[in-house]
Amino acid sequence: MEPIITFKERCRLCYSCVRSCPVKAIKVDNGFAQIMYNRCIGCGNCLSCPQQAKAVVDRMGQTQELLTSGAPVVAVLGCSFPAFFHAITPGQLVAALKNLGFCEVHEGAYGARMIADAYKEVLRQTEIPLVSSHCPAVVSLIERHYPKLIPNLAGVVSPMIAMGRFIKGILGKDTKVIYISTCIAGKFEVQAAESSSAIDVVLTYQEIDKFFKGRGINPASLAEAPFDGLDPDNARIFTLTGGPLKVFEVEPDFLDTEIISAEGENHAIDIIRDLAAGRITPSFVDLRLCDGGCVDGPARDQTLNHFYKRKLIVNYNDSTLPYKTAPHYRSTTSIPDLMRPYSNKSCRLPSPGKDDIKRILHSTNKFTQSDELNCRACGYNTCREHAVAVFQGLADIEMCLPHNLQQVEDDRGRLMQKYELIRRELDRQLGDDPIVGNDSKIQEVLELIRQVGPTPTTVLIRGETGTGKELTARAIHRLSLRNDKPLVTVNCTTITDSLLESELFGHKKGAFTGAIGDKKGLFEAANGGTIFLDEIGDITPKLQAELLRVLDLGEVRPVGGAAPKKVDVRLIAATNKNLEQGVSEGWFREDLYYRLNVFNIHLPPLRNRQDSIPSLAEHFLDKARKKLNKNIAGIEDRAVKAMQHYPWPGNIREMQNVIERSSVLTKGTIIRLENLPTIFADTYERCSNGEVNRRHASFKAERELHISRTEKNLIQRYLEETGGNVAKAARLANIPRRTFYRLLEKHGLEIVQRVRTKSAEQEAPE
Ligand SMILES: Nc1ncnc2c1ncn2[C@@H]1O[C@H](COP(=O)(O)OP(=O)(O)OP(=O)(O)O)[C@@H](O)[C@H]1O
């Protein structure tokens, strides 16, 4: 497994890894940034991901397995260890490692000591510019990205590999060697074929520290133990800036241009690029990718500054460390083969032509040079570099931040336009719809709407389904002084009980599973305007109590929140339930009932509004005409008559649907009885037979019919003239009030008039 992995789900596409990768070995694809290992040089920069989406693969389990396998396991400490384990002595660190189960502990600096002689030899023999190879990231950089310089690489192993070969050469191949340092590239290096089997595991200081903690080992409490192997002497400074040249005994003069010693990815890449281009031709280039040398490798102690770490290393170099060297390490034949080969590991990506770049730039709205902002938000230094990466399949177009912002702005504009269109359409469909009807009942309703509209009074609208309760609520809001503020409509049965409370009153973050943030409720959304609670008879007793609180105190309490919020909302409620029965049966709170029942509007069912059927039919036909863009002139009389005798269980909504459906079905310009659902033909037949039968009935029956009609018309007229006041109407008709009531009953002129009549009666004494 590769030493660094990506946790897809943590990647938030901030492109910080793209930005920090010196060789752009990151591919953004499928919604996350992944490492392209064939381009990666193991510098470890991507581990600084703010979301911790990149992590070093845990090798502690593997180490533990080796330690318990029975094979001898040797620990080798990289030269920089005193700058990490600075709170304990080197001898205590050795003791702690032995406590973990390591049989020997060596200083990796001895590896630097060993390769120094090899370097002197290679330097003496080489005539082309020689590039040092002790930094595995620099080796990878050349093998993967500048293969032209492979012949320039010193064919000498790194100090780490030298140590592995040295120890295994003496103790035998079955010995396991674990190298511990600040280096991440070393983890990649030991996986490469060229250095395989020299080192078994590479750990960072952090990993070994975790190991101590996991095993309850406190190195500071331990007595010092001596190192094994050989004392590296002054090779301990190898880790520092300038350290390798000192150890290799290559000491240039101040003005020397033949020897280059540099650190840091920018310098290293610049120098390698110039070498490859032949712009510089020094005799020796000593390079390390980490700025500050190995002591400042990616797994360093981040809390210490470079110069303090330098001081720690210098002190360590000056001190005498306890050593207990076994005689076999002193044998002159113990020095292993320190040479190594290299291979071309570059994989060339396709190069885009000018037109390709242009096309990609255009797709992110970059048409002129000034459109190329080179803002680097995508992680690439220039818009062109990003375009090349897009062409090569490394980057996404969507990585361009200015382009995305422009897109969001454009989308916002488009959505605003759509919203505006939909709002107008909704207004057309709902808000501006007139309340149609010329029967006395609906005229009375209209009068009530006109009276209550401009007041702040709570209104309770009652009536069967589809009778126009919502339409009435809209009309009331339109006539109110709040009509410039929202009318929020809530159907209490469409939202589940548990959600309705939070929908109405809002909730605080964490109030329940899924409450990931604070949310305002619909009462707050309606602040200053009106809220229409449809089907109020269906809300739970708990919600009834909360609602009462809103009505009494004018404040809402969000679910999970302690502090109430003031709201100024007018309430219109509607129900087709019998709330009085609810109160007596206990499922509707009495106090809420009285609070709602301030001003009642009762919408009559359509079957009691036969007189309005022709005008409603015409109204809905007009709507269907516009909606379907169909030339329909009218509805034939037979169809209207059938509609007048149909009981309309779904009321006006049903009628609207029937007319729209018939408009779709009709082939001519007139909606005929046959275009209506078949039940209307039956209804028509029944009512026609009734008329024919009546025509053939006796004179007496015919006379009764006419008298009854005249009686009904007269009663309606008296009511109209007295504004629905039954007491006055009875006086005008010169009949007792009780007789007038009986006639109302007989002709089906009920409830609405009676409600009004009752209140009017109280005002008007007999
Ligand atoms: N008097 C009327 N004039 C014109 N259209 C009407 C009238 N009454 C109702 N409508 C139309 O009938 C349909 C149903 O009306 P609305 O939704 O207001 O009924 P409702 O009583 O609130 O229904 P529900 O009880 O199912 O919620 C709507 O399209 C509305 O525009």
Side-chain angles (χ1 to χ4, degrees):
M1 186 194 265
E2 299 291 350
I4 300 179
I5 48 163
T6 302
F7 295 108
K8 285 188 206 178
E9 62 289 352
R10 288 196 197 154
C11 177
R12 305 290 297 276
L13 292 180
C14 67
Y15 312 130
S16 115
C17 55
V18 180
R19 219 164 290 132
S20 64
C21 179
V23 290
K24 303 299 175 228
I26 304 282
K27 178 174 177 163
V28 177
D29 199 16
N30 287 328
F32 75 105
Q34 51 187 310
I35 299 172
M36 295 184 70
Y37 295 104
N38 56 354
R39 288 176 64 80
C40 174
I41 59 169
C43 67
N45 285 2
C46 59
L47 291 170
S48 61
C49 167
Q51 274 63 247
Q52 288 163 6
K54 302 269 184 297
V56 171
V57 172
D58 188 345
R59 303 275 193 232
M60 284 170 34
Q62 196 185 346
T63 307
Q64 180 60 33
E65 261 175 41
L66 292 179
L67 287 170
T68 51
S69 67
V73 187
V74 176
V76 180
L77 286 165
C79 316
S80 54
F81 79 85
F84 190 90
F85 293 103
H86 54 93
I88 52 172
T89 65
Q92 285 175 318
L93 180 57
V94 175
L97 287 167
K98 294 222 165 146
N99 260 354
L100 279 181
F102 289 99
C103 64
E104 291 186 5
V105 179
H106 291 236
E107 281 191 89
Y110 187 71
R113 160 93 291 122
M114 281 189 279
I115 63 167
D117 289 337
Y119 264 89
K120 278 179 218 156
E121 187 56 28
V122 180
L123 268 169
R124 208 169 44 76
Q125 288 174 5
T126 313
E127 289 183 353
I128 56 172
L130 190 74
V131 181
S132 65
S133 60
H134 51 81
C135 171
V138 169
V139 172
S140 274
L141 180 65
I142 290 178
E143 285 188 317
R144 289 181 159 77
H145 299 276
Y146 296 91
K148 192 179 164 190
L149 293 181
I150 286 178
N152 298 68
L153 272 172
V156 181
V157 295
S158 66
M160 173 176 76
I161 301 298
M163 283 305 289
R165 289 188 186 175
F166 171 62
I167 293 167
K168 288 192 177 187
I170 292 170
L171 299 186
K173 282 196 170 23
D174 292 339
T175 306
K176 305 296 173 194
V177 181
I178 305 222
Y179 198 86
I180 309 160
S181 74
T182 58
C183 189
I184 298 296
K187 287 177 177 267
F188 285 83
E189 183 187 10
V190 294
Q191 292 195 176
E194 293 82 356
S195 42
S196 67
S197 75
I199 298 287
D200 295 277
V201 179
V202 173
L203 294 179
T204 59
Y205 298 131
Q206 277 110 342
E207 287 174 287
I208 211 77
D209 198 33
K210 255 199 228 164
F211 226 132
F212 291 149
K213 290 193 175 113
R215 294 276 291 274
I217 297 171
N218 175 13
S221 67
L222 301 176
E224 293 197 356
F227 275 102
D228 301 281
L230 290 165
D231 189 331
D233 198 19
N234 76 340
R236 290 186 179 112
I237 56 161
F238 192 84
T239 186
L240 296 178
T241 298
L245 289 192
K246 261 264 182 278
V247 176
F248 298 160
E249 292 173 16
V250 179
E251 293 186 56
D253 179 73
F254 177 62
L255 295 177
D256 195 344
T257 55
E258 278 294 290
I259 311 282
I260 295 177
S261 172
E263 290 165 352
E265 62 192 44
N266 290 341
H267 280 150
I269 290 174
D270 280 354
I271 290 167
I272 285 179
R273 197 179 293 135
D274 279 3
L275 268 179
R279 275 191 289 274
I280 52 173
T281 50
S283 58
F284 182 48
V285 180
D286 186 51
L287 290 179
R288 274 191 293 200
L289 205 85
C290 293
D291 201 4
C294 306
V295 78
D296 270 329
R300 64 189 177 274
D301 181 338
Q302 312 256 8
T303 60
L304 305 182
N305 87 45
H306 172 75
F307 297 97
Y308 182 65
K309 281 185 269 194
R310 188 177 167 81
K311 191 174 148 199
L312 288 169
I313 299 292
V314 172
N315 289 348
Y316 148 69
N317 187 48
D318 291 344
S319 58
T320 313
L321 298 185
Y323 253 87
K324 191 176 166 197
T325 305
H328 46 247
Y329 286 118
R330 296 200 190 279
S331 147
T332 45
T333 57
S334 63
I335 299 296
D337 174 16
L338 297 174
M339 304 315 281
R340 62 159 293 177
Y342 298 100
S343 55
N344 184 342
K345 292 176 182 158
S346 76
C347 56
R348 286 192 66 80
L349 294 169
S351 300
K354 265 189 185 167
D355 286 347
D356 299 314
I357 297 288
K358 220 183 202 176
R359 181 175 44 77
I360 294 167
L361 288 172
H362 284 187
S363 65
T364 50
N365 289 338
K366 297 177 186 78
F367 297 98
T368 64
Q369 189 96 39
S370 60
D371 294 333
E372 294 173 34
L373 303 184
N374 300 329
C375 70
R376 302 184 189 186
C378 62
Y380 289 87
N381 286 336
T382 64
C383 296
R384 276 169 196 265
E385 273 184 37
H386 173 236
V388 171
V390 170
F391 181 83
Q392 294 174 332
L394 296 179
D396 260 350
I397 293 265
E398 281 69 38
M399 290 163 76
C400 178
L401 182 66
H403 170 63
N404 285 350
L405 291 176
Q406 185 61 47
Q407 289 273 84
V408 169
E409 188 50 34
D410 291 352
D411 286 349
R412 201 182 68 90
R414 271 194 289 273
L415 284 174
M416 285 300 290
Q417 268 177 1
K418 275 196 184 159
Y419 168 78
E420 201 43 44
L421 282 176
I422 290 168
R423 204 180 59 81
R424 278 193 214 153
E425 179 61 21
L426 272 179
D427 273 358
R428 208 178 58 71
Q429 282 187 12
L430 300 166
D432 295 339
D433 252 3
I435 297 179
V436 176
N438 41 16
D439 60 294
S440 61
K441 287 176 180 132
I442 205 67
Q443 290 307 321
E444 183 154 350
V445 167
L446 284 173
E447 180 54 26
L448 291 174
I449 294 172
R450 270 193 289 274
Q451 285 172 358
V452 79
T455 72
T457 304
T458 301
V459 181
L460 180 62
I461 308 170
R462 311 180 72 166
E464 291 176 15
T465 180
T467 45
K469 296 189 288 297
E470 184 172 343
L471 194 66
T472 304
R474 288 183 178 281
I476 294 171
H477 177 71
R478 240 190 346 263
L479 283 178
S480 77
L481 305 175
R482 302 166 168 256
N483 60 13
D484 57 333
K485 296 277 163 29
L487 165 71
V488 174
T489 297
V490 188
N491 187 321
C492 301
T493 54
T494 53
I495 311 173
T496 58
D497 290 344
S498 53
L499 265 186
L500 186 59
E501 190 179 353
S502 94
E503 283 296 313
L504 289 179
F505 309 123
H507 63 241
K508 301 298 284 177
K509 184 178 174 182
F512 46 84
T513 323
I516 47 173
D518 287 0
K519 187 183 164 199
K520 278 189 186 173
L522 294 171
F523 265 95
E524 271 186 86
N527 202 6
T530 307
I531 195 161
F532 171 53
L533 298 183
D534 202 358
E535 315 285 8
I536 198 156
D538 292 310
I539 63 170
T540 59
K542 181 163 180 275
L543 220 56
Q544 289 174 24
E546 274 301 318
L547 196 56
L548 189 66
R549 191 187 141 79
V550 181
L551 292 175
D552 282 346
L553 305 175
E555 57 186 34
V556 289
R557 210 168 31 191
V559 178
K565 293 180 181 173
K566 280 275 169 218
V567 286
D568 164 28
V569 176
R570 180 196 196 171
L571 176 67
I572 303 177
T575 185
N576 60 10
K577 286 232 161 110
N578 186 336
L579 294 188
E580 293 74 12
Q581 194 183 344
V583 170
S584 67
E585 288 176 1
W587 50 261
F588 203 83
R589 286 180 74 114
E590 191 174 8
D591 41 11
L592 179 61
Y593 169 76
Y594 285 118
R595 201 70 181 69
L596 293 174
N597 201 21
V598 184
F599 194 95
N600 234 294
I601 297 182
H602 184 99
L603 296 178
L606 186 54
R607 62 184 168 278
N608 291 348
R609 297 177 51 201
Q610 284 185 352
D611 293 353
S612 285
I613 295 249
S615 52
L616 279 166
E618 190 46 53
H619 171 67
F620 291 131
L621 184 64
D622 194 41
K623 281 180 97 175
R625 225 181 256 136
K626 287 181 187 145
K627 186 169 173 184
L628 304 173
N629 197 17
K630 214 167 163 181
N631 179 21
I632 303 171
I635 307 181
E636 75 164 333
D637 285 349
R638 289 189 312 146
V640 174
K641 196 171 200 163
M643 285 196 241
Q644 280 178 308
H645 288 89
Y646 176 71
W648 297 110
N651 291 297
I652 303 185
R653 182 182 291 108
E654 186 186 0
M655 181 176 180
Q656 180 171 351
N657 293 343
V658 164
I659 291 187
E660 184 173 331
R661 177 179 175 277
S662 316
S663 308
V664 172
L665 292 178
T666 185
K667 294 207 173 80
T669 55
I670 296 284
I671 293 182
R672 305 197 178 280
L673 181 60
E674 290 69 29
N675 299 127
L676 302 184
T678 47
I679 187 151
F680 286 88
D682 298 344
T683 310
Y684 180 77
E685 204 173 327
R686 246 181 286 120
C687 70
S688 305
N689 286 343
E691 268 182 25
V692 173
N693 289 343
R694 272 198 300 280
R695 239 179 273 135
H696 293 105
S698 65
F699 163 75
K700 202 177 162 202
E702 187 86 301
R703 193 190 58 179
E704 274 306 309
L705 189 71
H706 285 287
I707 290 173
S708 175
R709 274 195 198 142
T710 314
E711 199 179 52
K712 184 178 176 186
N713 286 342
L714 276 172
I715 286 192
Q716 276 179 323
R717 216 177 67 211
Y718 289 134
L719 275 174
E720 277 165 26
E721 278 174 23
T722 57
N725 186 325
V726 175
K728 281 186 186 166
R731 268 203 304 275
L732 203 64
N734 204 10
I735 52 173
R737 199 158 31 109
R738 207 166 295 140
T739 311
F740 202 93
Y741 272 129
R742 203 175 38 74
L743 292 173
L744 282 175
E745 197 96 64
K746 176 180 164 192
H747 295 293
L749 303 167
E750 30 171 68
I751 307 171
V752 176
Q753 279 102 335
R754 286 192 182 186
V755 172
R756 284 243 2 220
T757 310
K758 271 185 190 162
S759 53
E761 248 174 320
Q762 282 156 8
E763 286 161 24
E766 284 269 356

